[in-house]
């Protein structure tokens, strides 16, 4: 008997392939004819190979499992064992297939739900400008902070004249500045506000280094608003 | 002039005091205002009526809409009520509006189904059921769309992340709650050739 399995069905895993073979062959899932399915399974793998498709190791493992089950089924039951029921060597495989079948069946049901609910139109959810609710603030990584910093620096124009001056800012000074800002604003300041008075790249860099220092110390955390992308610095209490 | 104004003001105050408002229209108003599903508890608070009565009124309102072939309908989604356009208008409205519901690949829906029925579940457990790998890209799509969330870590070796569905998931599929997921039919025995 020939089984034509469409080429577009490139199976993601051996269970999916086995399941399709069971369905296509109208086999009883509780009493899988192991010889037949093994034969078809291997035939399919050979077919894949013949059209130059690489076969994943999990498919090979399944082929071995099938053959192992098949060989076990061939061993005659011992007469002495008749009282005890011998465990079906196919059990594990059948359980897996049943579990897989459940979700295979659930997909079209969910798809149906989605289609019916796609017929309904809901009021546009406006993300209110005043919606600065606490739940929208999420903690972010230093990479996000660096990104924000890169954006900030790109705004500052580099002067074409170079003047050499003594360093007017130090990291320690800026740490004090940030701490004072946090104190003034109930422990929460916005990232942009820290730099609003900075006119030179140097000052921005120093302030940023100070901020990194505070993050390293663990005395502040950095959060970003999930809707508006604003970054704020929150003092750890 | 002043007297007249006073009279009007008094009337307003009286009207508010006597709470001579039809609770059904209050419910209608709240449903109109809200963009998220409104819980029966909230409605009961607004109307000053027990939740059971609120549920009856919502049902009446739903029938009212239906009877007069209204342009909107009441849906029971995510343990609350939410207005939407009427189902029968869907095909027509589609010409002018989009539902903004992203479609997912078969594989992604399959993964979502497994998470929905088996939550909370780890990636490895999903893989075991599917008998195929589940890439982080699959999960990322679902996480970004807020259809699933990380529900903690499983207390086994490696402490893998656990995934569960969200309220957004219920909205996406128009489900009342997780119990109203389509029940997976008992496995029918397939015929033997």
């Amino acid at each position: 008997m020939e089984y034509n399995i469409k080429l577009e069905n490139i199976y993601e895993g051996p269970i999916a392939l086995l399941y399709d073979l069971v369905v296509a062959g109208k086999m009883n899932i509780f009493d899988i004819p192991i010889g037949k399915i093994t034969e078809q399974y291997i035939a399919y793998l050979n077919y894949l190979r013949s059209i130059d498709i690489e076969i994943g190791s999990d498919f090979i493992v399944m082929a071995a499992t099938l053959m192992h089950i098949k060989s076990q089924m061939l061993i005659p039951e011992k007469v002495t064992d008749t009282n005890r029921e011998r465990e079906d060597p196919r059990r594990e495989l059948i359980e897996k297939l049943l579990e897989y079948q459940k979700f295979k069946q659930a997909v079209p049901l969910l798809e149906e739900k989605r289609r019916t609910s796609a017929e309904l139109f809901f009021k546009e959810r406006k993300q209110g400008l005043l919606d600065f609710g606490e739940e929208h603030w999420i903690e972010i990584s230093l990479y996000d902070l660096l990104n924000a910093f890169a954006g900030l620096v790109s705004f500052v124009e580099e002067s074409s004249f170079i003047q050499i001056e003594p360093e007017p800012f130090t990291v320690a000074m800026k740490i004090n500045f940030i701490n004072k800002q946090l104190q003034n604003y109930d422990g929460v300041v916005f990232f942009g506000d820290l730099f609003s008075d900075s006119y030179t790249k140097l000052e921005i860099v120093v302030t940023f280094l100070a901020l990194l220092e505070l993050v390293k110390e663990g005395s502040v955390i950095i959060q970003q608003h999930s809707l508006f992308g604003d970054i704020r610095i929150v003092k750890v209490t | 002039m002043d007297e007249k104004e006073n009279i009007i003001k008094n009337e307003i105050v009286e009207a508010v005091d006597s709470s001579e408002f039809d609770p059904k229209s209050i419910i209608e108003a709240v449903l109109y205002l809200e963009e998220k599903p409104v819980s029966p508890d909230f409605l009961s608070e607004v109307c000053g009526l027990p939740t059971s009565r609120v549920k009856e009124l919502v049902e009446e309102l739903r029938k009212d809409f239906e009877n007069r072939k209204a342009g909107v309908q009441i849906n029971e989604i995510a343990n609350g009520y939410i207005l939407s356009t009427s189902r029968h208008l869907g095909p027509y409205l589609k010409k002018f509006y989009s539902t903004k519901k992203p479609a997912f690949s078969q594989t992604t829906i399959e993964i979502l189904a497994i998470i929905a029925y088996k939550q909370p579940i780890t990636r490895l457990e999903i893989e075991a059921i599917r008998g195929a790998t589940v890439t982080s890209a699959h999960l990322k799509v679902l996480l970004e769309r807020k259809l699933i969330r990380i529900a903690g870590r499983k207390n086994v070796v490696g402490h893998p992340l656990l995934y569960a569905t969200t309220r957004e998931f219920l909205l996406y599929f128009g489900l009342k709650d997780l119990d109203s997921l389509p029940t997976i039919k008992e496995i029918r025995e397939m015929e033997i050739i």
Side-chain angles (χ1 to χ4, degrees):
Chain A
M1 199 185 267
E2 267 185 40
Y3 286 93
N4 296 318
I5 290 162
K6 280 174 276 149
L7 188 58
E8 57 258 39
N9 288 349
I10 297 300
Y11 295 97
E12 276 187 80
I15 292 283
L17 168 57
L18 272 182
Y19 180 73
D20 264 15
L21 287 173
V22 169
V23 174
K26 294 201 177 77
M27 298 173 196
N28 180 351
I29 207 164
F30 292 98
D31 189 21
I32 295 171
I34 201 78
K36 203 163 115 190
I37 204 166
T38 307
E39 199 181 293
Q40 288 173 6
Y41 182 87
I42 290 169
Y44 185 72
L45 292 195
N46 284 334
Y47 163 69
L48 285 183
R49 205 171 288 154
S50 73
I51 55 169
D52 241 14
I53 288 176
E54 213 176 303
I55 296 161
S57 57
D58 42 347
F59 283 90
I60 311 285
V61 171
M62 181 55 82
T65 310
L66 285 171
M67 283 189 275
H68 180 70
I69 294 172
K70 190 177 160 188
S71 67
Q72 272 184 313
M73 304 273 293
L74 291 173
I75 303 167
E77 284 178 54
K78 278 184 200 156
V79 192
T80 47
D81 269 1
T82 39
N83 291 338
R84 268 196 304 135
E85 235 185 88
R86 187 175 74 151
E87 199 193 299
D88 192 332
R90 294 172 299 184
R91 215 193 79 184
E92 211 187 307
L93 183 68
I94 288 171
E95 275 171 7
K96 269 192 184 155
L97 281 170
L98 285 175
E99 189 79 349
Y100 182 77
Q101 182 185 40
K102 263 204 248 171
F103 296 102
K104 206 70 189 161
Q105 287 175 350
V107 169
L109 296 174
L110 277 176
E111 198 46 43
E112 179 60 34
K113 283 270 177 198
R114 190 189 71 84
R115 228 174 299 127
T116 43
S117 82
E119 293 291 310
L120 310 178
F121 294 79
F122 293 88
K123 218 201 284 192
E124 199 78 13
R125 271 189 269 175
K126 50 174 186 284
Q127 296 167 335
L129 282 174
L130 294 171
D131 192 5
F132 264 80
E134 276 304 307
E135 68 274 17
H136 292 299
W137 290 99
I138 46 175
E139 220 175 307
I140 55 169
S141 70
L142 279 182
Y143 291 100
D144 300 306
L145 197 60
L146 279 172
N147 260 332
F149 178 63
L152 199 68
V153 172
S154 68
F155 283 124
V156 182
E157 274 180 43
E158 194 75 74
S159 158
S160 43
F161 297 99
I162 298 169
Q163 240 172 345
I164 297 166
E165 282 172 13
E167 237 180 77
F169 318 103
T170 63
V171 173
M173 260 167 69
K174 284 295 178 187
I175 287 180
N176 276 338
F177 165 72
I178 296 174
N179 277 332
K180 215 149 88 198
Q181 289 282 314
L182 283 168
Q183 223 166 42
N184 291 344
Y185 296 102
D186 297 325
V188 180
V189 286
F190 283 90
F191 183 67
D193 292 348
L194 285 181
F195 304 97
S196 53
D197 296 332
S198 310
Y199 297 108
T200 65
K201 238 178 203 176
L202 179 71
E203 188 171 0
I204 291 174
V205 172
V206 173
T207 310
F208 189 69
L209 286 175
L211 180 59
L212 289 181
E213 193 60 36
L214 286 171
V215 172
K216 198 182 108 196
E217 278 174 13
S219 52
V220 298
I221 54 165
I222 310 297
Q223 293 177 326
Q224 185 168 30
H225 196 276
S226 59
L227 299 179
F228 305 108
D230 262 321
I231 290 175
R232 68 179 189 182
I233 292 106
V234 180
K235 195 175 174 62
V236 175
T237 42
Chain B
M1 274 292 270
D2 276 333
E3 267 178 46
K4 231 183 189 176
E5 258 180 25
N6 270 339
I7 291 168
I8 295 170
K9 263 186 193 162
N10 281 340
E11 267 174 10
I12 294 170
V13 172
E14 268 169 35
V16 173
D17 281 346
S18 56
S19 62
E20 275 172 4
F21 293 103
D22 179 9
K24 213 155 77 177
S25 24
I26 295 176
I27 292 172
E28 194 175 347
V30 171
L31 290 180
Y32 162 75
L33 283 173
E34 293 287 341
E35 295 150 3
K36 289 180 196 154
V38 187
S39 71
D41 287 343
F42 180 68
L43 287 176
S44 121
E45 196 186 310
V46 175
C47 302
L49 290 169
T51 318
S52 55
R53 180 73 192 128
V54 164
K55 283 182 180 168
E56 284 168 22
L57 288 170
V58 170
E59 190 52 30
E60 272 178 40
L61 197 60
R62 200 181 61 74
K63 279 187 185 137
D64 290 350
F65 282 155
E66 229 173 74
N67 289 338
R68 67 173 180 87
K69 292 202 174 61
V72 290
Q73 66 179 38
I74 298 174
N75 302 281
E76 211 175 340
I77 294 174
N79 291 313
Y81 305 107
I82 184 168
L83 283 183
S84 77
T85 58
S86 294
R87 173 147 296 140
H88 71 274
L89 294 176
Y92 184 77
L93 292 171
K94 258 187 204 158
K95 291 185 214 159
F96 306 97
Y97 296 92
S98 92
T99 39
K100 296 202 176 92
K101 280 200 175 157
F104 296 107
S105 72
Q106 194 69 11
T107 306
T108 312
I109 290 282
E110 213 175 285
I111 292 168
L112 185 58
I114 294 171
I115 295 172
Y117 286 93
K118 288 274 179 178
Q119 59 185 297
I121 187 170
T122 66
R123 185 160 103 181
L124 224 65
E125 288 163 344
I126 305 171
E127 284 184 343
I129 290 172
R130 295 191 66 230
T133 47
V134 173
T135 64
S136 50
H138 285 133
L139 295 171
K140 209 179 144 204
V141 167
L142 294 168
L143 281 169
E144 272 173 2
R145 294 291 184 179
K146 298 206 164 57
L147 291 177
I148 61 169
R149 65 191 164 88
I150 290 162
R153 286 175 182 277
K154 194 168 182 163
N155 207 5
V156 293
V157 178
H159 293 275
L161 292 171
L162 284 164
Y163 298 95
T165 56
T166 59
R167 200 167 126 117
E168 208 59 38
F169 167 83
L170 297 175
L171 281 166
Y172 183 82
F173 288 103
L175 299 168
K176 188 188 159 204
D177 47 34
L178 283 177
D179 291 335
S180 44
L181 274 172
T183 39
I184 306 173
K185 272 171 269 155
E186 288 303 308
I187 312 303
R188 286 167 287 114
E189 277 204 36
M190 281 181 230
E191 277 174 54
I192 316 161
I193 343 171

